[in-house]
Amino acid sequence: MLAQEIVKSIQSGQGSPREVVEASLKRIEQLESQIHALIRLNPQALHEAKAVEQRLAKGENLPLAGVPIVIKDNICTQGLQTTCGSKMLASFVPPYNATVVEKLRQAGAVLVAKANMDEFAMGSSTEYSAFGPTRNPWDLERVPGGTSGGSAAAVAAGMVPLALGTDTGGSVRQPAALCGIYGFKPTYGRISRYGVVATASSLDQVGTMARSLEDLALLSDVVSGYDPRDSTSLEAEPRFVAALQASAKGLTIGIVKEALAMGNSPGVLEALERFRTVMEAQGVRFVEVSLPTLDYALAAYYIVNTAEISSNLARYDGTLYGLRVPAEDSIATMRQSREQGFGPEVQRRILMGTFVLSSGYYQAYYGKALRARAKIKADLDAAFARADLLLTPTSPSPAFRFGEKTADPLSMYLADIDTVAVNLAGVPAMSIPAGFEGHLPVGVQLIGKPLHDEQIFVAAYAFEQATERAFARVASL
């Protein structure tokens, strides 16, 4: 069932939160051994469902009453382990909840599990989890995307109707595309990052995932909004559900010509053309726009990303918290704790980031990347002068096979080629399921102006309604 259907059923008395959560846990029990979408179940899930029933009996208005949800395991949950998919934090139990977790519980949602992820949100396939890879529900021999692959796979498999992930360079949108669901990354600052374990602070953003636009809008309304505990939080009232009532007629969508020349597979190109044809029939106008610096986005992103990773992960030194491997002195303890606690991709990015920040190389690499970042933002602003939204692929191809890219890190990084510019500029974007290549889903990406997030929902909903939600459905396991 979709989240909207669950809420209506519970509010009408036809179902109860406990029954819904029990059904979700049963589905997880049936499929988790095949997919490995989750790191751990919430042992209090049925107790939380009972508490929701009691709140409903008191007349509370709960927009997500009884809806099961999973959240990525880098989002802090009080009393429940938060590992970031890493041995370094395998035993870490946060003493507080992230703001988004508080908002979910206030709305009546029930957290059933923490989702698997690439270690410390570094990767594009969820193959870099210290707890083993997640499999794509559409094809168990293929990856679900990353780094929020566990969240995407859980929704695509029908374990839960909703999930939260985090998006640093496409980590909500790319797995959403590869798993055939919706994935939304808002304007930087519209969803609080308080309680989210940092990867690259100027790029990280919590994102929402669902199988329908109505569900995605409902979840986005609940978790968005100003948070005084987050210094980057914006005062922008969320109006995602209300946006679904607006018409897409008269919108102008810019097709980014550089994104069409990046080696896209036939199914991706077909999905883009289908989206254009359907939307033109809805009264949407298309124009061609150019982002000249898009070719530099990936290089700029990985310099900024690794530099911030080097800084943020310095705190895991085997002394205050996290894995501690005792040795003969403090330096050896730190070295061995980091060697054994961090996996190969995390170590690779720390080394890259430390190098680009080092004396003599700072301006040559990091300084130049910051200038490129500013130019990418300027190019996006210029494109938005001609169009309300921009259209690109989400990923240049459907899901790839396990092991296909792990031997070549640069090949793995190229999987993010269509998504990283959005994070560099801090603008909103959504992956929309728009077709299949063989039996594998593919998505298209709509990019919006800063703080015009709701406009993306208007266009996406018009496409969903015109195609009768043909492309976002439970995976045929």
Side-chain angles (χ1 to χ4, degrees):
M1 292 177 70
L2 298 174
Q4 292 273 358
E5 296 168 345
I6 290 171
V7 173
K8 290 177 182 176
S9 172
I10 289 173
Q11 289 178 342
S12 67
Q14 296 177 352
S16 72
R18 185 179 180 88
E19 291 170 343
V20 171
V21 172
E22 285 176 341
S24 175
L25 292 172
K26 183 177 180 180
R27 177 76 172 172
I28 290 171
E29 183 180 6
Q30 292 171 342
L31 300 178
E32 175 59 9
S33 62
Q34 302 175 61
I35 299 173
H36 189 42
L38 311 173
I39 291 181
R40 74 192 50 77
L41 296 176
N42 176 15
Q44 299 297 315
L46 291 175
H47 176 75
E48 291 181 16
K50 181 65 175 178
V52 171
E53 292 177 2
Q54 294 170 349
R55 292 170 64 189
L56 288 169
K58 294 177 182 178
E60 287 191 44
N61 179 29
L62 305 177
L64 289 177
V67 176
I69 188 168
V70 302
I71 65 173
K72 192 173 179 178
D73 203 30
N74 60 346
I75 299 174
C76 287
T77 43
Q78 184 177 13
L80 185 63
Q81 284 170 271
T82 299
T83 71
C84 293
S86 177
K87 293 179 182 178
M88 181 62 78
L89 291 177
S91 60
F92 175 58
V93 179
Y96 65 96
N97 282 317
T99 294
V100 291
V101 175
E102 291 180 352
K103 290 190 172 189
L104 287 171
R105 287 183 165 145
Q106 288 168 4
V110 178
L111 172 64
V112 296
K114 302 294 289 291
N116 199 16
M117 58 181 286
D118 282 303
E119 184 180 6
F120 278 101
M122 300 179 204
S124 301
S125 63
T126 315
E127 291 175 278
Y128 291 128
S129 170
F131 302 98
T134 295
R135 298 184 177 274
N136 192 315
W138 292 95
D139 185 335
L140 298 178
E141 298 303 313
R142 296 178 185 267
V143 304
T147 61
S148 305
S151 295
V155 173
M159 295 178 176
V160 289
L162 303 175
L164 291 185
T166 60
D167 192 311
T168 304
S171 295
V172 164
R173 290 160 289 145
Q174 187 246 21
L178 271 51
C179 289
I181 65 172
Y182 292 94
F184 171 59
K185 179 252 175 222
T187 297
Y188 183 82
R190 289 204 68 177
I191 297 180
S192 173
R193 292 186 300 113
Y194 177 80
V196 178
V197 179
T199 300
S201 303
S202 76
L203 303 168
D204 297 343
Q205 184 63 80
V206 175
T208 51
M209 308 171 102
R211 290 195 309 274
S212 80
L213 256 301
E214 290 183 344
D215 281 6
L216 194 74
L218 180 58
L219 177 58
S220 299
D221 267 347
V222 166
V223 298
S224 299
Y226 177 69
D227 179 11
R229 295 176 294 186
D230 177 1
S231 63
T232 64
S233 185
L234 300 176
E235 295 191 34
E237 184 180 352
R239 297 181 179 274
F240 297 103
V241 171
L244 302 185
Q245 306 303 315
S247 172
K249 186 176 182 179
L251 288 177
T252 299
I253 296 179
I255 300 174
V256 180
K257 68 176 185 179
E258 288 83 2
L260 299 182
M262 290 183 170
N264 300 298
S265 69
V268 171
L269 294 174
E270 183 179 323
L272 288 166
E273 185 57 33
R274 179 184 297 110
F275 185 85
R276 176 174 181 163
T277 300
V278 169
M279 295 303 286
E280 283 180 332
Q282 305 301 307
V284 174
R285 186 172 73 95
F286 285 81
V287 297
E288 184 181 87
V289 298
S290 177
L291 297 177
T293 52
L294 192 61
D295 289 342
Y296 304 103
L298 202 64
Y301 169 80
Y302 274 101
I303 290 173
V304 173
N305 172 271
T306 56
E308 296 188 12
I309 285 169
S310 174
S311 176
N312 278 328
L313 269 62
R315 71 193 71 180
Y316 304 109
D317 57 6
T319 57
L320 294 177
Y321 56 90
L323 180 69
R324 178 182 175 84
V325 181
E328 61 273 17
D329 56 41
S330 60
I331 299 300
T333 295
M334 183 184 303
R335 181 171 61 248
Q336 292 188 30
S337 297
R338 290 170 72 82
E339 285 178 355
Q340 296 182 36
F342 291 139
E345 180 61 22
V346 175
Q347 293 185 31
R348 182 182 297 118
R349 296 201 192 191
I350 290 173
L351 288 170
M352 290 170 58
T354 302
F355 174 77
V356 301
L357 290 175
S358 61
S359 177
Y361 296 100
Y362 182 93
Q363 285 302 329
Y365 292 99
Y366 185 65
K368 189 177 292 184
L370 292 183
R371 292 193 293 274
R373 183 180 193 173
K375 187 65 173 72
I376 290 164
K377 176 63 165 62
D379 282 354
L380 280 166
D381 290 342
F384 284 130
R386 299 189 58 218
D388 301 302
L389 301 166
L390 304 181
L391 175 67
T392 74
T394 308
S395 173
S397 66
F400 46 89
R401 295 185 181 277
F402 284 101
E404 191 174 317
K405 299 182 185 292
T406 49
D408 181 4
L410 293 180
S411 174
M412 184 74 79
Y413 296 164
L414 285 169
D416 300 328
I417 196 166
D418 292 305
T419 54
V420 295
V422 167
N423 298 78
L424 288 169
V427 297
M430 180 191 295
S431 181
I432 302 164
F436 289 87
E437 185 166 320
H439 65 289
L440 299 172
V442 296
V444 300
Q445 177 177 233
L446 280 181
I447 305 170
K449 301 175 184 177
L451 294 176
H452 285 66
D453 307 46
E454 285 84 351
Q455 205 164 50
I456 300 175
F457 280 75
V458 173
Y461 193 60
F463 179 77
E464 182 186 76
Q465 294 298 295
T467 55
E468 298 181 345
R469 207 166 59 228
F471 306 114
R473 54 179 185 262
V474 174
S476 50
L477 293 169

